[in-house]
Amino acid sequence: MATLAGIGSGLDLESIISTFVKAERGTREASINERELNATEELSGVGTLKAALSKFQDVLAKLSDPNTFYQNKSTYSYLGTTGDSSDILTATTDGVVTGGTFEVEVLKLAQGSRLDSSPGAFTASTDTVGAGKLIFGAGTNGFEVTVEATDTLEDIQKKINDASDNFGVKANIINSDAGPILTYTSSVTGSTNQLSVTNDNASLDAISTGMTAAKTATDAEIKIDGQTVTSSTNSFSSAISGIALEVNNLTQAGEKLTLNVGVDTESVNDLINDFIDGYNSLQSTLGALSDPVSGPLAFDSSIRSYEMQLRSIAGSPVSGTSGALSMLYDAGITMNADGELEVSSIMKNGQPSGAQRLEDAISNNLSDLGALFAGDDGIAKQLSDFTATYLETGGVVEEREAALKSSLTRVQEDRDKLGRYIESYEATLRQKYTALDVTIAQYNATSAYIESVLKPVEKK
């Protein structure tokens, strides 16, 4: 522990040293504190920006995906029940479809084929049958399995099921009263895809050419408004233009399922309103971050650059439409004085209101509306691509975060340096004032001695 200064001289040198140290630290520390506060506030602001951009990007991801944007709705009526789903079939749409109402009968489901070995052909699942190759085929599909003379039925079953090029054949052994039955079941459906098994050695006939068909591969068959349509699978991708059907169960004899497909205007409207809300929320965040008085990123040029581009894209025309809808304004979406998007319900100069224009676009021009948002040059696509440059690895946000974290690291380094400097500065002051203390103490001692020598002797 350092010796208190001023003991020898009697002067309050500790207060003098403390005052000088405090003054020296205060000026330098204030600068460091200000730098730390500014960097911390900016880093928090960048975090807020990153969260806002990510949230907006989630909205754009849905809006820029044609499969999400082109919202069509299917309803099913069967045996007196109407709903949004059916266990008979499922309809999905691709892009904008004309829609309509269709009566559907599901007469047959597509199925694969199955072969069974003859009852009594084997006495146990450990029986062997011979050696050679089994050649499996179903339509254009095929694979081979090599059978060794020592392979049992169980071994053959495993080889078939484990074959790397097996196209969908499952081998099983049923232990019936008549003995083991080896079965092959093919998942390949369609009347032209009947499973066949041949061999290159007659000793394998019992598990190939000698097997009988227990199930025949068939096509799915449906009627749409009385017209028969078949498919080798239970999927009908082009039976109705733009509408794919997946059949799951048969309809009852003489009963028809009524399928109604139309534009889901409510979902499209909700999607566009989500975009408007997301845009305005982001705009509000950007305004708060760049506020010249209170904004933590008031002097960050990247904020102003993003905001300018955001408004530019939102207010510019896009290509890829018929021309009837090439701007947000055409779809009833306008930008107010605060830079926020809105759909106005007020008619001006006898022109349709924004709400009317949007309703008309959804109901009568969904194709162009989709291109306006989700097309290759669509607004959502442009905004998503531009926003990605801020959020991607090595993008604007990441670089800004890295720079601010580096600044905070330097602040801590400067704070450590200041601590060492103040220690050195105080030690230097103590050295000087200790020397002064010693000198004054010596002067005081000399003065006291002289005073004692020169003091008159009192007479007795």
Side-chain angles (χ1 to χ4, degrees), residues 301-317:
S301 61
S302 63
I303 292 287
R304 293 190 296 275
S305 175
Y306 183 89
E307 192 169 15
M308 290 174 60
Q309 187 67 9
L310 180 69
R311 295 190 180 191
S312 174
I313 293 174
S316 300

Side-chain angles (χ1 to χ4, degrees), residues 66 69-72 93-99 241-242 263 362 364-371:
F69 187 87
Y70 291 120
Q71 301 277 347
N72 294 292
T93 57
D94 181 15
V96 180
V97 298
T98 304
S241 179
V263 175
I362 293 175
N364 303 314
N365 201 352
L366 187 60
S367 180
D368 273 356
L369 186 62

